[in-house]
Amino acid sequence: MTIPSKLLAALACVAALAGPAHAEGPYRNTDNKHLADISEGTYPTPYKKPSAAEIGQALHRIRAYLDAATPSRVLHKDTGAEITDFTHPVAEAVVQASSGDFGLQVYEMGVVHAGLIRAAEATGERRFTDMTARHLAFFADKLPYFRAQESKFKLERANAFSRFIDPRSLDDAGSMCAAMMRARAAGIGPDLSAQIAVCGDWVANKQYRLADGTLARKRPQASSLWADDMYMGVPALAELGRMSGKRAYFDDAVKNVLQMSGYMFNQQKGIYTHGWNANHPNAPRFYWARANGWAVMSMSDLLDVLPKTHPGYGKVLAQLRATLHGIAELQSGAGLWHQMVDRNDSYLETSASAMFTYGFAHAINQGWISPVTYGSIAQAGWAGLSARINAKGQVEGTCVGTTFASDQTYYYHRPTSVHALHGYGPMLLAGAEMIKMLKNPTFDIEHKVRTYHYVPKGGSTDYREHH
């Protein structure tokens, strides 16, 4: 029997789905069982409803890769020999570098721990947080040694624990501080209250600010705001509020979200510019995707712990909703978002896409936005992301570290790398929230007319005309 060419093509697409996660398309939607359906399209990413098991397997690949790539040992930097005697510090003692240069104390690792904690919650599998417990135990055990090393040798930034001993920026303090407080609340690893006090004090009291109290930097201009700093500062302030019960921290977090939004949110576009300079407030604006991702995650983190009775709760929620609306309209046909989120000739970037997918799925699960409107957007986002987790558990297509710049050319041509840690935490967060969303009991997910509809539980739809 001769098989029609269209059917052969469809079968080939189905076979492609069985390959590695990062295989190139086109993909056929396997939820449509009619292989000869000429009205079923093909897609550049796996356009289908994922299963919780599939997502869990992908997250475990990421977890295993990161766990293997982040050793917690102290070495002699010249000989490479492991140091086991910690009674007397030596100047050459350093933390063993990871294979991907994934620093244990960098802000991106704080996001990784947030993702691992959420993955454990979503799956019920505590092994997701084994790496977090290991890292935190290493900090608790070795911090006294590296403090003694610093006291004796004055290494400053050459000290492997310099970010903990001498924080100098929100990047040094905020994200990891929030992660340590989340771990503490969840009972993961040792109690690092003393270190939380150090990094929390930096965020709350020592970071440079504008005169109105907005967290700021002295670069690239003398007084500059970065949308990134919503995440580098606000979640830590929010967690300090939760841990201490002091409203002043919540007030500060809310103030920073609203004031940063006032400076950097474009209400017409519904998205954030990357930064703002006090000496030139009307400069051209550049809408870098990851900056918008940081804003989405910071608002989500704040709303997770902010008392609903706080006078700023409704304002922050409204700002998050406005941002998600703007971002939703800019999603690409591959389910991902562009490096310059408003420019579809820039490349599709992974870390921001993961942040957005997490933002939509988490907001749905929290009841902040409607699954009817945004559920399929989150699902399409995960479809695009799933193709960027390779067989090793590496996350592909993530833009490397990027400063606040003043021209499009710089942003357009930032390289991507599997060693850019920025993509790993957001991918874990996105997958964890997608698992929760797929199990959300308040709605059903219908596959009708070759697409997906999120329908409130008990709601009624009528497709009689299609039968």
Side-chain angles (χ1 to χ4, degrees):
M1 181 180 72
T2 302
I3 301 176
S5 59
K6 289 182 178 177
L7 179 55
L8 282 172
L11 290 169
C13 291
V14 172
L17 288 172
H22 60 292
E24 296 291 333
Y27 294 90
R28 185 185 184 279
N29 187 348
T30 53
D31 288 332
N32 184 346
K33 306 303 180 184
H34 304 291
L35 297 182
D37 182 357
I38 62 173
S39 294
E40 178 64 74
T42 57
Y43 302 89
T45 52
Y47 185 72
K48 69 185 187 73
K49 177 185 171 184
S51 71
E54 289 171 340
I55 298 173
Q57 290 168 4
L59 298 187
H60 273 303
R61 289 203 309 275
I62 296 173
R63 175 200 58 76
Y65 171 70
L66 288 172
D67 197 23
T70 56
S72 47
R73 299 196 307 160
V74 179
L75 305 180
H76 191 289
K77 70 176 183 179
D78 296 332
T79 67
E82 183 173 4
I83 292 175
T84 57
D85 179 1
F86 296 103
T87 56
H88 302 288
V90 296
E92 295 78 17
V94 296
V95 174
Q96 181 179 353
S98 72
S99 58
D101 194 25
F102 299 152
L104 300 192
Q105 297 169 14
V106 298
Y107 68 84
E108 303 98 304
M109 193 62 76
V111 191
V112 167
H113 293 309
L116 291 169
I117 292 170
R118 288 290 178 88
E121 293 172 355
T123 63
E125 297 183 50
R126 297 297 297 177
R127 61 177 169 154
F128 271 108
T129 56
D130 287 349
M131 188 184 101
T132 297
R134 174 171 64 84
H135 284 202
L136 298 185
F138 179 70
F139 297 156
D141 186 47
K142 299 300 185 291
L143 183 54
Y145 176 83
F146 283 99
R147 282 194 184 280
Q149 183 198 56
E150 184 60 26
S151 178
K152 184 174 182 178
F153 299 107
K154 311 298 182 192
L155 301 176
E156 296 199 2
R157 299 320 261 183
N159 186 301
F161 271 60
S162 63
R163 286 183 171 87
F164 279 14
I165 296 169
D166 179 27
R168 298 180 181 181
S169 67
L170 287 175
D171 288 0
D172 287 347
S175 176
M176 281 300 301
C177 197
M180 287 187 281
M181 284 185 276
R182 293 186 185 111
R184 182 178 183 271
I188 299 166
D191 186 348
L192 289 168
S193 296
Q195 186 57 41
I196 290 169
V198 172
C199 58
D201 180 57
W202 179 273
V203 176
N205 302 311
K206 295 180 178 177
Q207 175 65 31
Y208 174 70
R209 299 183 182 224
L210 300 184
D212 64 5
T214 307
L215 294 165
R217 304 195 193 197
K218 295 182 179 180
R219 64 182 180 93
Q221 301 297 326
S223 289
S224 298
L225 301 183
W226 297 42
D228 316 45
D229 286 343
M230 286 178 69
Y231 189 83
M232 305 306 153
V234 167
L237 291 169
E239 291 294 335
L240 285 166
R242 176 167 72 159
M243 187 176 78
S244 70
K246 295 179 180 178
R247 177 174 158 170
Y249 290 119
F250 288 131
D251 292 346
D252 197 7
V254 168
K255 176 180 71 176
N256 268 278
V257 165
L258 299 180
Q259 290 180 180
M260 286 189 179
S261 298
Y263 285 111
M264 291 181 281
F265 186 70
N266 185 320
Q267 294 186 6
Q268 287 70 45
K269 286 179 173 283
I271 52 177
Y272 287 84
T273 185
H274 187 187
W276 177 92
N277 292 314
N279 68 325
H280 196 182
N282 296 316
R285 296 188 164 204
F286 303 100
Y287 300 94
W288 183 45
R290 192 155 70 218
N292 283 268
W294 291 128
V296 166
M297 293 212 305
S298 67
M299 289 185 280
S300 299
D301 285 358
L302 173 55
L303 289 170
D304 280 342
V305 299
L306 183 67
K308 292 184 178 180
T309 56
H310 191 283
Y313 184 92
K315 296 176 182 178
V316 174
L317 179 56
Q319 182 60 43
L320 176 62
R321 286 171 172 164
T323 306
L324 291 174
H325 181 274
I327 288 166
E329 294 187 340
L330 297 171
Q331 187 175 30
S332 77
L336 303 173
W337 281 263
H338 291 274
Q339 162 79 341
M340 304 309 290
V341 70
D342 63 331
R343 298 284 190 103
N344 62 14
D345 61 338
S346 63
Y347 65 82
L348 295 173
E349 200 278 328
T350 301
S351 66
S353 298
M355 292 172 174
F356 299 152
T357 300
Y358 162 75
F360 288 116
H362 185 63
I364 288 168
N365 290 329
Q366 295 296 103
W368 299 333
I369 59 175
S370 170
V372 174
T373 303
Y374 292 102
S376 60
I377 293 172
Q379 181 179 312
W382 180 256
L385 292 170
S386 68
R388 295 204 163 185
I389 306 168
N390 68 28
K392 296 179 181 179
Q394 296 171 320
V395 174
E396 300 177 343
T398 296
C399 175
V400 299
T402 297
T403 194
F404 168 25
S406 299
D407 63 89
Q408 292 279 14
T409 303
Y410 169 80
Y411 289 106
Y412 266 66
H413 298 283
R414 297 302 291 143
T416 66
S417 173
V418 295
H419 300 306
L421 189 56
H422 312 72
Y424 288 83
M427 190 72 85
L428 289 164
L429 286 165
E433 286 300 325
M434 285 299 301
I435 290 172
K436 292 180 183 178
M437 194 179 83
L438 291 171
K439 297 178 179 179
N440 193 312
T442 64
F443 53 83
D444 293 315
I445 305 173
E446 296 182 348
H447 179 249
K448 299 285 188 181
V449 198
R450 305 171 190 86
T451 189
Y452 298 90
H453 305 275
Y454 284 63
V455 181
K457 188 74 74 174
S460 60
T461 57
D462 186 355
Y463 283 83
R464 185 169 179 267
E465 65 183 280
H466 286 282
H467 297 288

